[in-house]
Amino acid sequence: MSQTTDASADIKSANKQQTLSDQVFDRLQTDIVKGVLHPGQKCSEAELATSYGVGRGPLREAIMRLEGRGLIVKRPHSGISVVSLGYQELIDIYYVREALEGMACRLAAENMSTVQIDELKALLEQHKQMVSEEEWRSYYQKEGDFDFHYRIVKGSGNQKLYQSLCGELYHLVRMYRYRLSMTSGRPAQALKEHANIVDAIAARDGELAEMLMRRHISAARKNIQIRYDQGLVVL
């Protein structure tokens, strides 16, 4: 009986640890994406444990997961820091996104079900409300099915595209996508571009859907280039 009780206690303890780890992982990832923890920032486990009110065990599990996603970098004798991309590396990623997400969007127009398209429209309505609540200053999308771009790549039905765009690259893009979209008029314009893309997908016009997605990502890249050239953004 005692062994059964001990085993039950161990399971409950493990579940609690996992829950704490999940919570701190979600909070850290959101803070990295939103720039609360900015690119290149060095962090100590002691400071993070204090800031997030969590023990070292759950924190280390969360850090390992973030490292696996490419958002945290560990270096010998230097501790941990938030990942940081150089300007040209980021621009190169946007060129890759333009080509691959354009292709994904064309395939989504061919392969997404009516239900999936309706869900995409409903998601944009949620995003419109969120952007409105932020007074049109920012456009933050949670990961996975709450993310417009993720839904389209998933809806393409092409596993190679999904693996290329929704792996490590996906989380790096989210981090910079949010931070660099916070410029006058860009959140509202991005939302409008998303709506036009959905209309093309719903009309099963793959050629138009691809063109609009490529144009959408190209506009985001040009926004980064302009702000960087003007010294408004430091990477």
Side-chain angles (χ1 to χ4, degrees):
M1 186 68 175
S2 175
Q3 288 181 340
T4 303
T5 303
D6 290 344
S8 178
D10 288 343
I11 292 170
K12 287 181 180 178
S13 176
N15 287 340
K16 184 178 180 183
Q17 281 288 104
Q18 186 61 41
T19 300
L20 287 171
S21 175
D22 288 342
Q23 288 174 354
V24 72
F25 169 78
D26 288 340
R27 289 175 63 197
L28 280 166
Q29 181 172 250
T30 298
D31 284 351
I32 289 172
V33 170
K34 285 192 168 184
V36 176
L37 299 174
H38 57 79
Q41 179 176 336
K42 290 187 176 181
C43 310
S44 75
E45 285 189 7
E47 290 171 348
L48 291 175
T50 300
S51 297
Y52 290 86
V54 69
R56 292 291 186 94
L59 176 64
R60 283 172 181 160
E61 288 180 30
I63 288 172
M64 284 178 62
R65 290 173 64 187
L66 290 166
E67 188 180 10
R69 289 194 166 185
L71 295 176
I72 287 285
V73 179
K74 270 188 175 181
R75 294 188 178 91
H77 314 299
S78 298
I80 59 175
S81 59
V82 179
V83 69
S84 177
L85 298 179
Y87 170 73
Q88 192 56 53
E89 188 176 6
L90 183 61
I91 294 300
D92 287 347
I93 286 174
Y94 269 76
Y95 274 116
V96 170
R97 283 188 66 207
E98 184 179 335
L100 295 187
E101 287 197 42
M103 186 190 307
C105 205
R106 175 168 53 81
L107 291 173
E110 298 171 5
N111 297 324
M112 286 184 85
S113 68
T114 302
V115 171
Q116 287 176 309
I117 294 171
D118 287 343
E119 289 173 347
L120 197 55
K121 290 178 179 178
L123 181 68
L124 281 193
E125 285 301 312
Q126 293 177 32
H127 287 179
K128 184 177 180 180
Q129 181 62 32
M130 287 188 292
V131 172
S132 177
E133 288 172 358
E134 287 286 326
E135 298 179 349
W136 304 92
R137 292 171 302 193
S138 65
Y139 188 175
Y140 171 68
Q141 300 173 56
K142 294 181 180 179
E143 67 176 308
D145 285 336
F146 296 99
D147 183 341
F148 176 79
H149 290 267
Y150 178 93
R151 285 270 189 128
I152 287 178
V153 174
K154 188 177 176 182
S156 74
N158 186 301
Q159 283 303 306
K160 291 298 182 183
L161 278 175
Y162 180 83
Q163 290 165 11
S164 297
L165 290 167
C166 295
E168 182 177 317
L169 180 65
Y170 171 71
H171 301 288
L172 286 173
V173 166
R174 283 187 70 231
M175 173 178 156
Y176 282 91
R177 199 171 73 197
Y178 174 81
R179 180 176 169 227
L180 297 171
S181 70
M182 294 174 67
T183 184
S184 178
R186 185 58 199 160
Q189 183 60 34
L191 192 63
K192 182 179 178 181
E193 290 166 7
H194 284 180
N196 290 337
I197 289 167
V198 173
D199 287 343
I201 290 173
R204 304 298 182 183
D205 190 335
E207 185 176 350
L208 178 59
E210 178 172 6
M211 183 193 74
L212 290 174
M213 178 60 84
R214 290 183 67 108
R215 186 180 292 171
H216 169 63
I217 294 173
S218 176
R221 173 178 49 78
K222 289 173 183 175
N223 178 54
I224 294 169
Q225 291 172 314
I226 290 169
R227 295 185 70 199
Y228 184 82
D229 289 342
Q230 292 176 343
L232 299 175
V233 126
V234 178
L235 299 175

